[in-house]
């Protein structure tokens, strides 16, 4: 009898082991875009890796590395290439953030070349005839914050590039792409269609993207002659030329004609700001990310710190406990984002406190294990949310071990919808990232308070989260980031949870379906098919209000592996990874 029992026990143990490992490792993955295989989004490189959301841009980056250029050199070339190839999401009329890891000196610098509010801005500038008009922060001249992309690239070249590849050679391939044109891909065609009305409204935008009133369709050629001319001028005269003379005049004229308040004085203040990144730890790893005026790093770290108090690895990714704990942690961190974070040159922030493990433990203790805390009990504000799919992230590692993670944007699809007449630059609508009035939601449903109100020269709060992760030996093990507005933070978070807690391979960690909560609105947004019906019922019973969402994410991940590096471009998009 005891032999039988032993056998039964052994069988039970074996089956429960198989079952639990299967449960833990089997993530629910998305279908790759455009009929591609999942594997086509991944590459292995012995020495170096470039991962971008566009295959042409990846090729341009890898060509720079092959010429002996560094990760920073490749990053400049890729940034210009993406500005041509993804005009719906990034470009010379926008800005961004870049993390640069200098392997020799074991140092990371965080560069801020994000747009700022024109000097004539006022806190009440979106109130017309006594009525707040949020559209003014999203479309047309008033929506445009002062672009710093070109100054950012120039500064990065001057202070961080290897100088093995000349500035003009880094821009050369992008000039060709703008001049010769390229075939419109489905995501771009979709963005043009979605924004056809506003593009149609401004003739320089219409001429390029909606010629004769017909939005460019998949397979048609997008040629950007004026942008090619502008890029040539920047390549020949250096970055400063962009902010003086004819290009500056084009930008100012177009913005002012469309009701904007930008003047030449604004263009004197475009130099990027280097900063110390924010850093924290998660289960023995060191996380390094973007400091304010991005909320990305702090919010990500606050969520991770809270989650350190729960055994989510043991529970598995689709255990109702895990999802509940992750969502409740997201809510609390996003509330702090809205309450405390903004441009550090304008406000004081309790960064140390927000990042402390004790504070996280307190927040973890406030989570009811059985019940969702209604967001209104955490704060009385209300809003609703909508979605835009824009912005661009790329990740690069070179053979010396240097790395770049950069997220760049013009905010919504085609930013303000305004293209500068004569120079082909799509102008951002970054003013919408301010809290235009406390409690009033922006295009992402985000609300904010005093910390993020408009002021002259102030930088709107961002969610962009370019991130590095180092292991306990100090080796760089992950480089990543994504577009997606506030969903950037949770996409980076979940990619890290899948990699660190659930031991997923890089391709699975990126392809895994995602969920998101940003405190307000009080809804748990999820990608179709991530939760089983049973799990949906369990979460609903706990008080979570579930809502399916589209996916604006494009995670670009580089992970260190035994072979060298594994690069993964998010299969939700059309990008690629190429290794060396
Ligand atoms: O800085 C931010 O947080 C936003 N302007 C980013 C916009 C974005 O990611 C749009 N993509 N979905």
């Amino acid at each position: 009898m005891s032999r039988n029992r032993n056998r039964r026990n052994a069988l039970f143990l074996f089956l429960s082991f198989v079952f639990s490992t299967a449960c833990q490792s089997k993530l629910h993955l998305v279908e790759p875009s455009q009929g591609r295989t999942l594997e086509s989004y991944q590459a292995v490189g012995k020495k170096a890796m470039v991962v971008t959301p566009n295959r042409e841009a990846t090729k341009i980056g890898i060509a720079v590395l092959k010429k002996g250029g560094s990760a920073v050199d490749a990053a400049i070339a890729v940034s210009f290439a993406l500005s041509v190839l993804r005009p719906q999401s990034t470009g010379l009329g926008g800005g961004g953030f870049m993390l640069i890891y200098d392997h020799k000196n074991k140092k990371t610098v965080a560069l801020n070349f994000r747009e700022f509010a024109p000097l004539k801005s006022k806190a009440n500038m979106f109130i017309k005839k006594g009525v707040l008009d949020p559209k003014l922060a999203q479309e047309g001249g008033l929506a445009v914050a002062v672009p710093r992309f070109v100054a950012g690239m120039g500064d990065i070249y001057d202070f961080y590039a290897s100088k093995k590849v000349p500035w003009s050679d880094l821009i050369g391939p992008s000039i060709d792409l703008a001049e010769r044109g390229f075939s419109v891909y489905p995501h771009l065609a979709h963005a043009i269609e979605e924004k056809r009305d506003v593009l149609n409204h401004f003739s320089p935008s219409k001429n390029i993207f909606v010629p004769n009133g017909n939005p460019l369709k998949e397979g048609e050629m997008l040629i950007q002659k004026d942008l090619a001319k502008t890029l040539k001028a920047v390549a020949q005269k250096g970055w400063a030329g962009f902010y003086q003379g004819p290009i500056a005049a084009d930008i100012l004229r177009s913005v002012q004609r469309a009701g904007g308040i930008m003047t030449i004085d604004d263009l004197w203040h475009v130099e990027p700001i280097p900063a110390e990144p924010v850093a924290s730890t998660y289960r023995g790893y060191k996380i390094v990310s973007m400091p304010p005026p991005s909320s990305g790093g702090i919010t990500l770290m606050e969520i991770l710190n809270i989650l350190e108090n729960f055994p989510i690895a043991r529970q598995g990714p689709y255990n109702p406990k895990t999802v509940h704990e992750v969502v409740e942690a997201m809510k609390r961190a996003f509330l702090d984002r809205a309450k405390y974070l903004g441009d550090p040159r304008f406000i004081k922030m309790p960064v140390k406190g927000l990042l402390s493990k004790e504070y996280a433990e307190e927040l973890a203790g406030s989570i009811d294990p059985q019940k969702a805390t209604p967001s209104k009990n955490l704060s009385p504000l209300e809003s609703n949310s909508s979605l835009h799919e824009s912005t661009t992230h790329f990740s690069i590692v070179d053979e010396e071990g240097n790395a770049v993670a950069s997220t760049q944007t013009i905010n919504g699809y085609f930013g303000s919808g305004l293209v500068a007449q004569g120079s082909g630059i799509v102008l951002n609508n970054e003013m919408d990232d301010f809290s235009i009035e406390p409690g009033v939601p922006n295009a992402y449903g985000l609300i904010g308070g005093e910390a993020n109100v408009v002021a002259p020269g102030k930088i709107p709060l961002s969610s962009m989260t370019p991130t590095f992760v180092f292991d306990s030996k100090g080796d760089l093990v992950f480089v990543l980031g994504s577009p997606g507005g506030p969903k950037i933070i949770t996409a980076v978070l979940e990619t890290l949870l899948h990699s660190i807690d659930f031991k997923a391979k890089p391709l699975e960690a990126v392809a895994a379906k995602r969920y998101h909560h940003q405190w307000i609105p009080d809804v748990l947004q999820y990608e179709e098919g991530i939760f089983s019906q049973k799990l949906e019922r369990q979460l609903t019973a706990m008080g979570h209000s579930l809502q399916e969402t589209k996916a604006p994410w494009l995670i670009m991940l580089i992970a260190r592996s035994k072979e060298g590096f594994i690069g993964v471009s998010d299969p939700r998009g059309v990008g690629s990874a190429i290794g060396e």
Side-chain angles (χ1 to χ4, degrees):
M1 183 201 115
S2 83
R3 236 165 106 189
N4 269 350
R5 183 184 284 163
N6 281 347
R7 264 197 208 142
R8 265 210 317 271
N9 282 348
L11 184 66
F12 174 76
L13 277 177
F14 174 71
L15 286 178
S16 42
F17 171 75
V18 170
F19 184 69
S20 71
T21 24
C23 280
Q24 294 217 346
S25 59
K26 213 167 176 314
L27 292 169
H28 303 164
L29 309 185
V30 291
E31 279 296 315
S33 192
Q34 296 191 299
R36 280 170 59 175
T37 61
L38 266 183
E39 287 66 32
S40 73
Y41 287 90
Q42 173 175 288
V44 180
K46 281 209 174 72
K47 303 179 294 192
M49 180 64 64
V50 178
V51 192
T52 89
N54 185 288
R55 204 190 298 253
E56 279 306 310
T58 306
K59 283 191 198 156
I60 288 171
I62 211 85
V64 172
L65 295 183
K66 280 189 173 157
K67 275 192 206 164
S70 67
V72 172
D73 302 344
I76 296 169
V78 165
S79 300
F80 279 107
L82 289 171
S83 75
V84 176
L85 293 160
R86 288 178 59 86
Q88 73 275 31
S89 71
T90 180
L92 283 62
F97 296 113
M98 188 180 284
L99 279 189
I100 299 175
Y101 176 59
D102 168 358
H103 179 69
K104 204 166 117 210
N105 296 305
K106 300 258 180 277
K107 185 156 172 51
T108 301
V109 45
L111 282 159
N112 161 4
F113 49 99
R114 180 163 169 83
E115 309 89 317
F116 59 86
L119 298 172
K120 286 194 171 163
S121 301
K122 294 195 180 86
N124 63 358
M125 65 192 270
F126 301 112
I127 297 177
K128 284 280 127 84
K129 297 189 182 136
V131 182
L132 182 75
D133 183 356
K135 265 267 174 286
L136 291 174
Q138 292 168 12
E139 290 174 5
L142 272 187
V144 185
V146 184
R148 285 163 86 208
F149 174 97
V150 180
M153 292 307 125
D155 194 82
I156 290 162
Y157 183 79
D158 289 345
F159 293 100
Y160 304 96
S162 76
K163 312 293 184 310
K164 287 184 189 150
V165 186
W167 167 252
S168 56
D169 286 10
L170 296 176
I171 308 178
S174 303
I175 300 173
D176 285 350
L177 272 173
E179 220 157 39
R180 276 187 288 112
F182 60 91
S183 168
V184 172
Y185 48 89
H187 287 64
L188 174 54
H190 167 76
I192 296 174
E193 179 59 41
E194 196 175 303
K195 285 287 172 177
R196 65 187 289 172
D197 291 345
V198 59
L199 293 170
N200 218 3
H201 184 74
F202 299 110
S203 56
S205 320
K206 176 179 171 184
N207 294 341
I208 302 169
F209 300 108
V210 196
N212 309 313
N214 301 315
L216 282 183
K217 299 243 168 351
E218 183 185 341
E220 291 181 328
M221 291 298 278
L222 171 60
I223 295 171
Q224 302 173 81
K225 285 254 184 275
D226 287 343
L227 183 61
K229 201 178 69 188
T230 302
L231 286 167
K232 256 187 214 161
V234 172
Q236 285 161 8
K237 297 186 202 139
W239 68 268
F242 183 86
Y243 296 96
Q244 306 156 4
I247 302 175
D250 284 344
I251 295 174
L252 295 177
R253 198 177 339 105
S254 302
V255 169
Q256 289 166 7
R257 266 193 204 154
I261 49 174
M262 201 187 299
T263 71
I264 191 73
D265 288 346
D266 289 306
L267 303 183
W268 290 108
H269 297 88
V270 290
E271 294 262 349
I273 307 166
E276 277 288 313
V278 279
S280 180
T281 58
Y282 181 65
R283 305 198 199 276
Y285 289 88
K286 182 174 178 197
I287 318 286
V288 175
S289 191
M290 210 61 215
S294 182
S295 63
I298 292 178
T299 313
L300 169 71
M301 289 166 191
E302 204 179 317
I303 302 172
L304 288 171
N305 284 344
I306 298 174
L307 291 177
E308 264 185 339
N309 294 281
F310 300 103
I312 61 169
R314 204 175 66 224
Q315 293 165 186
Y318 303 120
N319 184 319
K321 276 194 195 148
T322 301
V323 179
H324 176 69
E325 287 152 3
V326 172
V327 168
E328 291 299 307
M330 287 173 177
K331 271 186 207 172
R332 284 154 177 81
F334 269 91
L335 162 61
D336 284 347
R337 175 196 190 278
K339 203 159 147 187
Y340 297 113
L341 302 185
D343 183 344
R345 296 171 310 149
F346 286 74
I347 54 156
K348 274 207 160 26
M349 283 168 286
V351 174
K352 248 196 172 152
L354 291 174
L355 292 183
S356 84
K357 300 280 183 191
E358 292 74 30
Y359 179 55
E361 209 181 313
E362 237 175 77
L363 290 179
S366 76
I367 296 174
D368 180 330
Q370 311 292 338
K371 279 274 165 227
T373 313
S375 292
K376 65 175 170 14
N377 291 3
L378 295 169
S379 162
L381 301 169
E382 276 178 22
S383 101
N384 54 35
S385 157
S386 70
L387 177 86
H388 291 257
E389 191 174 332
S390 185
T391 307
T392 273
H393 177 89
F394 62 84
S395 302
I396 299 177
V397 173
D398 69 21
E399 67 175 85
E400 285 173 11
N402 306 308
V404 169
S406 185
T407 318
Q408 305 172 0
T409 191
I410 50 173
N411 197 21
Y413 270 161
F414 297 100
S416 61
L418 200 58
V419 169
Q421 175 104 46
S423 48
I425 301 158
V426 184
L427 295 162
N428 71 82
N429 63 344
E430 224 68 58
M431 292 299 282
D432 189 54
D433 275 343
F434 279 114
S435 125
I436 56 168
E437 193 167 278
V440 172
N442 74 354
Y444 304 102
L446 286 169
I447 59 171
E450 287 301 314
N452 190 33
V453 294
V454 183
K458 189 171 174 183
I459 299 177
L461 185 63
S462 172
S463 299
M464 294 191 275
T465 316
T467 299
F468 294 150
V469 178
F470 298 85
D471 66 11
S472 53
K473 293 190 299 254
D475 287 334
L476 181 62
V477 288
F478 299 114
V479 178
L480 75 164
S482 176
K487 292 189 173 92
I488 294 171
I489 299 170
T490 49
V492 170
L493 169 82
E494 285 162 59
T495 308
L496 293 181
L497 297 182
H498 292 321
S499 307
I500 294 173
D501 289 282
F502 308 127
K503 308 284 178 240
K505 297 205 167 85
L507 183 57
E508 288 167 2
V510 176
K513 293 181 178 179
R514 303 187 181 120
Y515 55 94
H516 171 80
H517 201 301
Q518 59 185 50
W519 167 56
I520 300 278
D522 193 355
V523 280
L524 195 182
Q525 301 178 51
Y526 66 92
E527 220 171 351
E528 180 272 320
I530 180 172
F531 302 137
S532 66
Q533 285 186 354
K534 182 175 168 205
L535 182 51
E536 277 187 26
R537 279 197 303 274
Q538 287 166 320
L539 292 168
T540 308
M542 291 170 113
H544 295 285
S545 158
L546 273 65
Q547 187 183 76
E548 197 176 308
T549 183
K550 271 207 300 155
W553 307 282
L554 291 174
I555 284 270
M556 301 292 137
L557 173 70
I558 299 177
R560 184 181 287 277
S561 74
K562 283 202 294 290
E563 297 87 359
F565 295 104
I566 295 177
V568 181
S569 180
D570 200 318
R572 293 162 182 83
V574 295
S576 74
I578 302 182
E580 259 282 281

